[in-house]
């Protein structure tokens, strides 16, 4: 297999997993008679993340032992967990949206490089004045998007039936994110010259490089 084909298979597998987990999470959240399986779906992501961090820890044995202890404690309190597991789903959705909004927003402070400007610098190197201005505006747009998503998630969780909240948080989360990317890309085509544009794949690569520390530091 070629490298491009393998990369395509990998991205297809990731997309399939994300879609499957979103659907499974929705059915778990909206279940009128929740059980341990529904609660297990809610806890799968944080427990998996904890296990990965424990495995990478210098204190691997003790961290893995701690993970097992947490699992045992959760199982011992399973009746309470079954009654409240939707709060775990809320924390995952609203918490992640809020953290992303905070990260984008903090990069707009004086003396910081806007988040999207960092991504653009990985792709283009030095930024033209038009691209620098545009990436700051897009950073504002993403900050507002994640803030709105956080607010809507909290409001729907408190004010609407849990099934309605679950449709928004689990089923519409990925489509809304894709729609935001598509809308921004359309605006980019309209406002920027071809030399200042980059496609979605370049944006993903830039994000991965900034996470690995390859992006230029804030100035």
């Amino acid at each position: 297999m070629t490298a491009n084909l393998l990369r395509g298979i990998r991205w297809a597998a990731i997309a399939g997993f994300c879609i499957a987990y979103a659907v499974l999470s929705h059915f778990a959240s909206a279940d009128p008679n929740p059980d341990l399986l529904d609660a297990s779906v809610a806890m799968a992501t944080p427990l998996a993340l904890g296990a990965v961090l424990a495995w990478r820890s210098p204190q691997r044995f003790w961290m893995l032992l701690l993970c097992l202890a947490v699992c045992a404690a959760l199982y011992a309190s399973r009746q309470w967990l079954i009654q409240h597991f939707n709060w775990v789903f809320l924390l995952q959705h609203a918490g992640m949206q809020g953290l992303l909004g905070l990260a984008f927003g903090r990069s707009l402070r004086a003396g910081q490089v806007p988040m999207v400007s960092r991504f653009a610098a990985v792709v283009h190197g030095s930024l033209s004045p038009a691209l620098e201005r545009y990436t700051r505006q897009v950073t504002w747009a993403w900050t507002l998007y994640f803030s709105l998503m956080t607010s809507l998630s909290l409001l729907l969780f408190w004010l609407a039936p849990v099934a309605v909240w679950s449709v928004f948080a689990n089923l519409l989360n990925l489509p809304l994110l894709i729609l935001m990317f598509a809308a921004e890309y359309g605006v980019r085509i309209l406002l920027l010259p071809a030399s200042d544009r980059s496609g979605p794949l370049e944006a993903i690569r830039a994000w991965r490089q900034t996470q690995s520390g390859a992006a230029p530091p804030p100035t």
Side-chain angles (χ1 to χ4, degrees):
M1 292 186 180
T2 66
N4 287 336
L5 179 58
L6 288 174
R7 191 178 299 114
I9 293 174
R10 182 180 65 181
W11 281 110
I14 292 173
F17 173 80
C18 291
I19 293 171
Y21 183 72
V23 173
L24 189 61
S25 297
H26 169 66
F27 282 114
S29 292
D31 190 348
N33 300 301
D35 54 21
L36 185 59
L37 178 60
D38 296 326
S40 299
V41 173
M43 295 304 304
T45 298
L47 288 178
L49 178 60
V52 170
L53 293 176
W55 184 261
R56 295 180 176 179
S57 170
Q59 305 295 327
R60 179 183 296 175
F61 175 79
W62 295 110
M63 291 298 98
L64 290 174
L65 195 62
L66 178 61
C67 286
L68 290 175
V70 169
C71 291
L74 289 172
Y75 183 76
S77 57
R78 57 189 177 278
Q79 293 304 322
W80 179 89
L81 182 61
I82 290 171
Q83 295 175 3
H84 299 89
F85 72 88
N86 270 318
W87 285 90
V88 178
F89 280 128
L90 175 67
L91 182 62
Q92 290 181 43
H93 183 258
M96 180 59 69
Q97 303 291 330
L99 287 174
L100 287 169
L102 182 63
F104 276 82
R106 283 171 61 89
S107 72
L108 290 165
R109 295 181 303 173
Q112 299 293 315
V113 178
M115 187 75 72
V116 180
S117 300
R118 298 184 189 184
F119 300 157
V122 173
V123 178
H124 299 279
S126 60
L127 306 184
S128 67
L131 184 55
E132 186 174 355
R133 181 171 58 254
Y134 176 79
T135 52
R136 171 172 286 274
Q137 294 170 342
V138 173
T139 302
W140 270 110
W142 279 108
T143 301
L144 295 174
Y145 170 82
F146 288 123
S147 299
L148 179 61
M149 291 290 287
T150 304
S151 300
L152 285 175
S153 184
L154 293 172
L155 287 173
L156 288 174
F157 189 83
W158 287 329
L159 301 177
V162 68
V164 174
W165 171 83
S166 181
V167 168
F168 170 76
N170 292 314
L171 299 184
L172 295 182
N173 186 52
L174 186 57
L176 288 173
L177 185 63
I178 293 173
L179 181 62
M180 179 65 179
F181 269 111
E184 187 276 318
Y185 186 63
V187 173
R188 190 187 320 170
I189 292 174
L190 290 175
L191 296 183
L192 293 178
S195 59
D196 281 342
R197 298 178 203 155
S198 58
L201 292 180
E202 287 83 358
I204 293 173
R205 294 191 190 102
W207 177 82
R208 292 179 64 183
Q209 289 184 48
T210 58
Q211 299 309 298
S212 64
T219 57

